[in-house]
Amino acid sequence: MSDAFARFRRSFWRFKAGTSPRSVWGQVFLLQAALVVLLVLCGVIGLVLQSEHDTTSEARRRSIAVAQTFAHSPGVLQALSTPDPSKVLQPLTEAARKSAGVDFIVVMNTKGIRYTHPLPSKIGHRFVGRIEPSLAGKVYTEEVHGPLGHEEQATVPIYDTHGKVTALVSAGLKVKNVTSEVDRQLPIILAAGAGALVVSTGSTALVGRRLRRQTHSLAPDEMTRMYEHHDTVLHSVREGVLIVEDNGRLLLVNDEARRLLELPPDAEGRTVRELPGLDPATVELLASGRDASDEVHFAGGRLLAVNQRPTDRASGLSATVVTLRDCTELQAVTGRAEVTRERLELLYDAGLGIGSSLDVMRTADELARVAVPRFADFVTVDLADAVLHGEEPAPTATDMRRVALSGIRDDHPLYEKGRLIDFLPSTPQARSYSAGRTELVTDLATAGGWREQDPQRARQILDYGIHSLIAAPIQARGIVLGMANFWRSKREPFDEEELSLAEELVARAAVSIDNARRYTREHALAVTLQRSLLPRALPAQSALDVAYRYLPAQSGVSGDWFDVIPLPGTRVALAVGDVVGHGLHAAATMGRLRTAVHNFSTLDLPPDELLSHLDDLVGRIDQDEACAETADEIVGATSVYAIYDPVTRRCVMARAGHLAPALVAPDGSVTFPDVPAGPPLGLGGMPFQAAEFELAEGSQLVLYTDGLVEDRSRDLDVGMELLRRSLAGHPDRPPEESCQAVLEELLPERPRDDVALLIARTRALPADRVADWDVPCDPAAVSGMRAAVSEKLAQWGLSELGFGMELVLSELITNAIRYGSGPIHVRLIHDRTLICEVADGSSTSPHLRYAATTDEGGRGLFLVSQLAERWGTRYTPQGKVIWAELTVPDLDALLAE
């Protein structure tokens, strides 16, 4: 009960809080509630009065009925005629009174003297009330205050047999008895009134609630103000508003909508299909009731933006709200804004897409592609031919090379790409090139100067449909590099406003083209310098079958280099190096290092000693060039140096921070020899170590720089594995083919770093081409050696070299016996030249000098230098070797053998 009471109390207070007397619905509710209460009260009062009236009337009727019934009862006249009527009538009246339910029945004579009365003491007394109407023969009712109290009574006459009034009878009820009847009916009346009040109040509350929902609890003045505002806004706003029912009938139209749609005055209440002058598409949209957002429709010569939304179904109104906005002028402004936006977007894309590389041809092609089809239908780019080579362009539009062409179709009649063109002075291109300003030809059909260039092609261009041209000079840093030609065939002709766009497009490309031209020139100079510092051809030698590849990086030259250096005794040195850094400085440093390697190789130094000398040289270069401008350009270099001897098939190798070479065995397997990795050149302080191993004939030694295997997109191990796979399984493949296969397998189309690759297949000198002897430390042994050498030369068919070789050999052996120490060993090698080597255990080197006329000796080495092609000394761990080479006649015949 308590919960129910609490809910009722909360509901009551919520209801009371919502019934603010300020709001319309609150005032209506209070008025209706007061009216209902008043009506119920009036009804209750009316019912009470009606009940009292009905009770009185009933009392009178009962009194009349009882009185008349008793007056006409048999025996009344006989009783009146007796000497004592009271004795007979008193019992009869009491019995009738009790049975009739009245308070009294009084019989009286015509003078009003009572014969009967409920109170016997009142018999014989005069009747209280009027009897005259009854004596006149009428039934008379009245209220009196008699002996019994306030009474309601009726008096009727009693007629004799002759129709004469002989007596009167009065019957009545006391007023208090009548009131008690009313009191018994009053609760029923009040209950009925209360019920009516509750039902009426509930109905009033429901009506008020609906009214509150529809008026949103607004006060009358607020509703008035809202209506005034609504009406003012609705008819003054510069936007058309319509409300259309689901059946297509117009419920509301404001003034702007009437103006925009040119509606008649009686448009409201008519269906949209009945309205004249509306566009069918607009009629279909308004009648459909579907959602629409800024749909553009044509009406009355205007462009209207139409928005349509259905109303809230909860509001009870099933309709759609339509708004109209005149966007005719906005459409024009929007069109100009759209053109501006497209131009800005084109310039933005041009800024991103033009100049992505330092390549003149590619930059020109990017300019041509970015303008088609958003600006022109065809674009051609013509550059001075000198620009393509990095040189300064000519002052006139001659020798113009068409480097780019892009269009919406490929069957155009324009000059093809790659053609060399000499523009005549009458053409827009020549005028624009000479003056350095953009030329506009809005109608090619009426312009005559351009036709003189090629009349037949001009007719083809016009027949094709090309009708207008913009010729814009490609100008950067005050120099005109070429022309960009924009052609149109499908679109509107070019106008003056579009000149600035063409100039802006060309200006964005001009700087990139000029940068590419300067880069081309500098790159060509650097590549030329670098290639001039690299071997132009491999030297002739018999120890190795060598092939090489050198690829400069597209972004610029660097310090990669290689070399093949013949050494005494048919040996060959292989060198590959990489100077850290890029540019001319790296290329120049590479040339200095290569020259140093050549110089050190003439000393016939072992690989580890040669790298030590190079390390010192690079350190001195860094010290000499340690300035603010070049301190960071050169920080070192890497190199690998190997010497192969075809007589012993031994290879000695050392490396300074360089990648390990690959070795392809005759069976096709690939290994990476374990050559100690020394520090890069230029660091100093660490010695280098050499590794010596024997190579089978037909083995391939692969030396390379890091640009071959290193790449940003893969790890070094992956690159080494790719190199191994590209070399493995091809033992008989020539080195030339191996170089090509390796590059195709490992390098991208445009390598980012220089690549130097050297592949050398080993050869072995046949044993019958080598002869060696041990010589005792006795001058008498010289004659025996001369005889043995002469015999060997005769076997090789070189007898004509016997005299010179005997003199050289005699002098070298004599020097070894006289100035050297044992053991003494002589080796004779028949290769491209005839080589004589005398080895002894002393490290003292002989020196060539000019002997005076009085000197007895000192002329032996002079004779050797005169007879030999070359001679020299090299040092070994056991001592030294003095060698001399004699030219072999008819070399081609010997090689043919």
Side-chain angles (χ1 to χ4, degrees):
M1 289 294 292
S2 60
D3 293 341
F5 177 74
R7 288 196 298 272
F8 172 77
R9 184 173 60 185
R10 288 194 297 270
S11 301
F12 172 76
W13 284 111
R14 282 198 303 269
F15 174 78
K16 185 170 182 62
T19 57
S20 172
R22 283 191 70 250
S23 63
V24 172
W25 89 272
Q27 294 183 14
V28 171
F29 175 78
L30 294 178
L31 180 61
Q32 288 181 342
L35 182 60
V36 168
V37 171
L38 180 61
L39 291 176
V40 171
L41 290 176
C42 292
V44 170
I45 294 173
L47 287 175
V48 171
L49 294 176
Q50 182 66 34
S51 177
E52 291 180 353
H53 178 269
D54 291 346
T55 303
T56 303
S57 298
E58 180 64 22
R60 290 178 178 177
R61 285 194 300 271
R62 287 173 60 186
S63 297
I64 294 172
V66 170
Q68 287 181 344
T69 300
F70 192 84
H72 294 85
S73 296
V76 174
L77 288 177
Q78 290 81 357
L80 290 174
S81 62
T82 63
D84 191 5
S86 297
K87 184 177 181 181
V88 178
L89 293 176
Q90 179 68 18
L92 292 178
T93 56
E94 288 299 313
R97 180 183 65 81
K98 293 179 180 179
S99 62
V102 295
D103 291 327
F104 66 91
I105 298 176
V106 175
V107 181
M108 68 192 81
N109 59 20
T110 56
K111 294 183 178 182
I113 301 300
R114 302 184 185 101
Y115 293 124
T116 64
H117 195 275
L119 299 176
S121 61
K122 299 299 182 180
I123 298 174
H125 293 276
R126 184 175 178 80
F127 174 73
V128 179
R130 293 183 65 189
I131 60 173
E132 289 80 7
S134 299
L135 291 176
K138 297 180 180 181
V139 177
Y140 180 70
T141 61
E142 60 180 336
E143 293 182 6
V144 299
H145 292 278
L148 299 178
H150 190 196
E151 299 170 332
E152 190 73 33
Q153 60 187 16
T155 305
V156 299
I158 299 175
Y159 296 94
D160 61 7
T161 56
H162 300 287
K164 182 182 177 181
V165 176
T166 61
L168 299 175
V169 176
S170 177
L173 296 174
K174 290 183 288 186
V175 175
K176 65 178 183 179
N177 292 335
V178 176
T179 305
S180 65
E181 290 293 333
V182 175
D183 292 341
R184 285 193 299 269
Q185 293 179 0
L186 187 58
I188 299 175
I189 293 174
L190 293 177
L197 179 61
V198 171
V199 173
S200 300
T201 304
S203 301
T204 302
L206 293 177
V207 173
R209 183 178 179 182
R210 182 178 181 86
L211 184 60
R212 181 183 63 177
R213 187 167 60 249
Q214 293 180 346
T215 61
H216 301 284
S217 300
L218 296 175
D221 58 338
E222 292 175 339
M223 289 194 64
T224 302
R225 188 164 56 253
M226 182 184 70
Y227 174 77
E228 292 174 351
H229 292 173
H230 168 267
D231 191 64
T232 301
V233 172
L234 182 66
H235 294 288
S236 63
V237 70
R238 301 302 295 172
E239 186 168 313
V241 179
L242 302 94
I243 299 180
V244 186
E245 285 187 307
D246 285 348
N247 57 6
R249 190 175 304 276
L250 282 178
L251 294 180
L252 177 68
V253 181
N254 72 342
D255 296 341
E256 183 67 10
R258 292 180 189 275
R259 185 185 71 83
L260 294 176
L261 298 178
E262 299 180 355
L263 298 178
D266 61 344
E268 292 181 347
R270 300 172 61 180
T271 62
V272 293
R273 299 187 185 277
E274 299 175 356
L275 299 176
L278 290 183
D279 182 67
T282 306
V283 172
E284 290 299 325
L285 173 62
L286 297 178
S288 66
R290 63 178 175 83
D291 288 0
S293 297
D294 290 333
E295 289 191 12
V296 179
H297 289 263
F298 184 80
R302 302 181 181 90
L303 290 176
L304 302 181
V306 183
N307 290 274
Q308 183 167 278
R309 293 290 185 275
T311 58
D312 186 5
R313 301 297 180 183
S315 65
L317 179 62
S318 179
T320 56
V321 178
V322 183
T323 60
L324 309 172
R325 187 174 65 256
D326 189 355
C327 61
T328 305
E329 296 181 0
L330 180 62
Q331 191 75 10
V333 174
T334 303
R336 292 193 295 270
E338 181 65 20
V339 171
T340 303
R341 185 194 64 81
E342 292 177 355
R343 292 180 178 180
L344 291 175
E345 184 177 345
L346 175 59
L347 292 176
Y348 176 76
D349 293 341
L352 295 179
I354 299 177
S356 61
S357 67
L358 289 173
D359 184 271
V360 174
M361 304 284 285
R362 183 174 176 179
T363 304
D365 187 67
E366 290 169 348
L367 169 61
R369 291 182 181 276
V370 78
V372 177
R374 291 189 286 179
F375 180 65
D377 297 324
F378 299 92
V379 177
T380 59
V381 180
D382 306 319
L383 296 178
D385 198 46
V387 172
L388 302 179
H389 306 289
E391 301 172 0
E392 296 291 332
T396 59
T398 57
D399 291 337
M400 302 291 290
R401 181 78 63 181
R402 179 145 295 176
V403 296
L405 192 155
S406 180
I408 57 176
R409 295 172 57 182
D410 296 331
D411 57 345
H412 54 79
L414 301 174
Y415 283 136
E416 67 278 4
K417 183 178 178 180
R419 181 162 182 164
L420 192 63
I421 308 171
D422 292 332
F423 287 106
L424 297 179
S426 61
T427 60
Q429 291 86 350
R431 293 196 301 269
S432 177
Y433 187 94
S434 301
R437 65 172 180 269
T438 304
E439 288 280 334
L440 170 64
V441 182
T442 57
D443 188 3
L444 290 172
T446 59
W450 71 282
R451 300 190 185 190
E452 299 177 6
Q453 178 72 29
D454 191 337
Q456 181 177 358
R457 189 174 294 271
R459 287 193 300 271
Q460 295 175 356
I461 291 175
L462 293 175
D463 294 341
Y464 188 79
I466 297 176
H467 52 71
S468 61
L469 163 69
I470 290 180
I474 301 175
Q475 187 173 1
R477 301 179 180 91
I479 301 175
V480 179
L481 306 175
M483 298 299 305
N485 306 299
F486 302 93
W487 313 78
R488 277 187 180 175
S489 61
K490 300 296 184 182
R491 306 170 60 180
E492 294 295 326
F494 291 111
D495 54 30
E496 294 289 341
E497 293 183 359
E498 293 175 304
L499 285 178
S500 59
L501 177 58
E503 292 172 351
E504 183 66 25
L505 280 175
V506 174
R508 291 175 181 265
V511 175
S512 298
I513 291 177
D514 189 53
N515 290 338
R517 176 186 70 88
R518 290 168 176 264
Y519 170 78
T520 300
R521 179 181 61 190
E522 295 177 1
H523 186 265
L525 292 174
V527 170
T528 301
L529 172 62
Q530 188 176 33
R531 290 192 179 278
S532 67
L533 298 176
L534 292 173
R536 297 188 179 183
L538 295 180
Q541 44 83 29
S542 303
L544 298 170
D545 183 9
V546 182
Y548 68 93
R549 289 289 188 278
Y550 175 75
L551 298 179
Q554 297 295 328
S555 58
V557 297
S558 64
D560 291 13
W561 57 279
F562 67 93
D563 217 335
V564 178
I565 306 172
L567 297 178
T570 69
R571 295 169 305 135
V572 176
L574 301 176
V576 171
D578 183 4
V579 176
V580 177
H582 291 80
L584 293 176
H585 195 274
T589 303
M590 175 270 293
R592 296 169 71 177
L593 292 183
R594 179 171 175 258
T595 301
V597 169
H598 269 272
N599 293 334
F600 292 144
S601 66
T602 58
L603 301 177
D604 214 341
L605 298 176
D608 52 343
E609 293 185 19
L610 186 141
L611 292 181
S612 296
H613 288 289
L614 279 182
D615 181 59
D616 295 338
L617 175 62
V618 172
R620 288 196 300 273
I621 292 175
D622 287 344
Q623 292 177 2
D624 294 341
E625 299 182 356
C627 61
E629 291 79 7
T630 61
D632 296 331
E633 293 186 9
I634 298 298
V635 296
T638 65
S639 180
V640 59
Y641 186 80
I643 297 177
Y644 173 70
D645 188 348
V647 177
T648 61
R649 292 185 290 107
R650 304 289 294 178
C651 180
V652 183
M653 186 181 305
R655 61 191 179 111
H658 205 82
L659 296 174
L663 181 62
V664 183
D667 60 358
S669 62
V670 179
T671 59
F672 294 92
D674 186 14
V675 180
L681 300 175
L683 297 183
M686 294 292 293
F688 297 95
Q689 298 182 17
E692 184 175 357
F693 41 87
E694 184 176 344
L695 300 180
E697 186 176 4
S699 299
Q700 295 187 55
L701 193 60
V702 182
L703 283 71
Y704 52 90
T705 56
D706 56 0
L708 181 68
V709 293
E710 288 185 351
D711 191 84
R712 297 180 182 177
S713 60
R714 66 184 182 221
D715 294 335
L716 176 61
D717 294 340
V718 176
M720 300 292 285
E721 178 62 21
L722 289 176
L723 175 62
R724 188 193 64 78
R725 286 166 46 187
S726 64
L727 294 171
H730 303 282
D732 299 328
R733 185 170 59 188
E736 189 70 28
E737 296 180 8
S738 295
C739 286
Q740 189 63 32
V742 168
L743 296 183
E744 291 176 356
E745 179 71 21
L746 275 77
L747 291 186
E749 181 179 356
R750 300 173 66 87
R752 298 181 179 180
D753 196 6
D754 284 18
V755 175
L757 174 64
L758 192 66
I759 299 180
R761 185 193 299 275
T762 62
R763 296 173 181 171
L765 195 65
D768 58 354
R769 292 296 185 98
V770 179
D772 50 1
W773 301 269
D774 290 327
V775 180
C777 292
D778 185 358
V782 176
S783 60
M785 284 304 305
R786 286 199 299 266
V789 167
S790 298
E791 182 181 356
K792 195 62 178 179
L793 292 178
Q795 294 177 4
W796 289 342
L798 299 176
S799 299
E800 64 273 20
L801 298 178
F803 176 74
M805 180 55 67
E806 288 179 5
L807 288 178
V808 170
L809 185 62
S810 297
E811 183 60 33
L812 294 181
I813 295 176
T814 301
N815 282 339
I817 294 174
R818 180 178 299 177
Y819 303 109
S821 62
I824 299 174
H825 185 79
V826 175
R827 184 170 69 170
L828 199 63
I829 302 174
H830 180 198
D831 190 35
R832 293 177 177 270
T833 59
L834 184 61
I835 304 170
C836 173
E837 297 179 346
V838 177
D840 65 77
S842 172
S843 59
T844 302
S845 175
H847 296 281
L848 177 65
R849 65 184 181 87
Y850 290 95
T853 56
T854 58
D855 290 340
E856 295 182 0
R859 297 177 177 84
L861 290 181
F862 179 77
L863 292 176
V864 171
S865 65
Q866 295 299 310
L867 294 174
E869 183 72 19
R870 294 188 308 158
W871 74 281
T873 304
R874 71 173 182 270
Y875 296 92
T876 65
Q878 295 79 24
K880 67 177 183 296
V881 176
I882 302 176
W883 55 272
E885 293 182 3
L886 276 69
T887 302
V888 177
D890 197 8
L891 180 59
D892 294 336
L894 291 175
L895 292 176
E897 294 179 1

